Amino acid sequence: MVRGEWGVSGRCSYKRATLIVCCINVVVAFHVIHSLYASLYTYPLADPHTTVKYTLDQIRGMEESNRIRRAARPTELIELVMQLEERLTREERVELPKHLRQRLVDEIHSRLRSSDAAGNATRQNEAFRTWHLEKLEEARRINRGETLNSTISQQDAGVLVRALSTGWVEFAEGIGLWIPISVTNMEHDDKPDGEDEFDKEVLPGRQLPLECHAERHTDYGGAALKWGLTHHKESAYDCCMACLDHTRRAKPGQRKCNIWVYCPSETGCYSPDVYDHKYQECWLKYSETPQSNFKDQYSEAYRDAHPRAPLVVPWVSGVVG
């Protein structure tokens, strides 16, 4: 009796368990189907490129968010950082003491005169680079405390190491030394009969005609007709031609260009104004009585008042007409 009752009880329990499992499977199946249907409803199989439509409240919310982001933008901080970066860039170059700068200029001139680099820009640059490396090594050894047969003190050696480490081009600009760049040009047989050859300092580009009246190391003043900061030309020849074209095209009553000023130095050209004058700037000017602001070299008194002024005037100018 006990064994039979257990069997009957077992069969009934198995059926109930099977029924429960089936019910659970049915419920799970319905839940899965419902989830798939809901997913299909939420993400319909539509064209992915269809334009999304927003309600007015959503659009207002996005506009308000953009306005808050713009208002929270640190505009003043960004401007201060940009000004600081510009100031640091200007102050990167080490200012040499007056006595040390003059001594170095004399040494460089003596080196260039004693070499066979006269009239050859490539050899001049090579001679200057050689001097630059030798002087940098000498200054480093003196700065380390080595005893050398040199007139440079250990204090000046530290300053000189920092100045020479900026690179020979930057150092040359800092002391006002300008050596023309060696440019290979096609030779043009267009020199008028009886005209003398160019002087030893050759400007890159085509030969300037006599009507340009080019004056090296000269900066003429006058009213600006073409702002050089945004008016660049490939060479001094092109700058002079731009001045002559301006004169020919000027309408009656308009000022005609009679002065051109060009920056031939790849490292830029010094000027006492607040602007940073770049290579290939071409200024077209007018003056009833053209006069040069600076000629050949900046005076010692001027360089004392303007510490960043180089020794030699870097500009090339001419008066036409």
Side-chain angles (χ1 to χ4, degrees):
M1 286 295 295
V2 174
R3 190 175 298 177
E5 290 176 359
W6 180 84
V8 173
S9 177
R11 287 193 296 272
C12 294
S13 298
Y14 177 77
K15 289 180 180 180
R16 284 197 297 270
T18 303
L19 181 61
I20 292 171
V21 171
C22 291
C23 291
I24 292 173
N25 289 338
V26 171
V27 171
V28 170
F30 274 113
H31 179 71
V32 171
I33 293 172
H34 175 74
S35 299
L36 292 175
Y37 179 78
S39 175
L40 185 63
Y41 178 79
T42 305
Y43 307 101
L45 299 177
D47 186 0
H49 300 288
T50 302
T51 304
V52 179
K53 295 182 179 180
Y54 297 102
T55 64
L56 292 177
D57 292 337
Q58 290 174 327
I59 294 174
R60 293 193 188 98
M62 288 186 288
E63 291 177 349
E64 180 66 15
S65 177
N66 290 333
R67 187 190 64 78
I68 294 174
R69 279 197 296 269
R70 287 194 298 268
R73 189 169 182 260
T75 306
E76 294 183 1
L77 178 60
I78 293 174
E79 292 179 354
L80 290 175
V81 171
M82 293 176 64
Q83 293 176 3
L84 180 60
E85 289 179 349
E86 184 179 357
R87 185 181 304 171
L88 290 175
T89 301
R90 293 179 178 177
E91 295 177 356
E92 281 179 357
R93 201 167 297 145
V94 180
E95 293 292 342
L96 294 172
K98 180 180 176 181
H99 70 280
L100 182 58
R101 181 172 60 178
Q102 188 60 47
R103 182 186 304 173
L104 297 177
V105 170
D106 294 340
E107 286 186 18
I108 295 170
H109 287 171
S110 177
R111 175 68 66 92
L112 294 178
R113 284 195 298 267
S114 62
S115 65
D116 58 348
N120 189 309
T122 301
R123 293 181 181 177
Q124 288 179 1
N125 281 287
E126 290 176 355
F128 177 60
R129 282 197 296 266
T130 302
W131 174 90
H132 179 272
L133 295 175
E134 293 175 355
K135 185 59 64 175
L136 178 58
E137 179 61 23
E138 177 186 348
R140 284 173 174 170
R141 293 177 62 184
I142 296 174
N143 194 40
R144 289 196 297 263
E146 297 184 23
T147 303
L148 300 177
N149 185 17
S150 176
T151 58
I152 300 176
S153 65
Q154 188 170 6
Q155 181 179 1
D156 288 343
V159 178
L160 189 57
V161 168
R162 294 195 302 272
L164 292 172
S165 298
T166 59
W168 68 277
V169 175
E170 292 78 7
F171 175 77
E173 180 187 4
I175 64 174
L177 177 66
W178 179 59
I179 300 177
I181 304 168
S182 179
V183 178
T184 302
N185 296 308
M186 297 297 294
E187 183 177 354
H188 300 278
D189 188 15
D190 55 359
K191 182 174 70 67
D193 295 337
E195 181 185 346
D196 295 334
E197 295 291 340
F198 263 151
D199 53 327
K200 295 180 179 180
E201 189 177 330
V202 179
L203 288 171
R206 293 185 59 184
Q207 178 175 329
L208 287 159
L210 291 177
E211 59 184 329
C212 291
H213 302 287
E215 298 180 47
R216 293 166 177 78
H217 305 298
T218 306
D219 181 10
Y220 271 92
L225 304 179
K226 280 289 186 179
W227 201 250
L229 297 175
T230 56
H231 184 246
H232 288 196
K233 292 297 180 181
E234 292 293 329
S235 65
Y237 172 87
D238 296 320
C239 186
C240 175
M241 292 300 104
C243 182
L244 295 175
D245 290 341
H246 185 278
T247 300
R248 286 192 291 266
R249 296 176 182 177
K251 297 179 181 179
Q254 287 185 337
R255 289 179 174 179
K256 298 180 180 180
C257 175
N258 63 344
I259 299 172
W260 59 273
V261 182
Y262 182 74
C263 177
S265 174
E266 282 193 338
T267 55
C269 292
Y270 168 80
S271 184
D273 56 31
V274 298
Y275 301 106
D276 186 15
H277 296 277
K278 302 293 186 180
Y279 173 50
Q280 295 183 338
E281 280 190 14
C282 175
W283 292 77
L284 305 185
K285 301 181 179 181
Y286 168 79
S287 176
E288 292 184 0
T289 56
Q291 294 181 352
S292 60
N293 293 330
F294 303 99
K295 180 74 173 176
D296 296 331
Q297 295 183 352
Y298 295 103
S299 65
E300 185 175 352
Y302 182 84
R303 283 186 281 119
D304 289 339
H306 302 79
R308 295 192 61 82
L311 177 63
V312 180
V313 178
W315 299 89
V316 178
S317 304
V319 178
V320 301

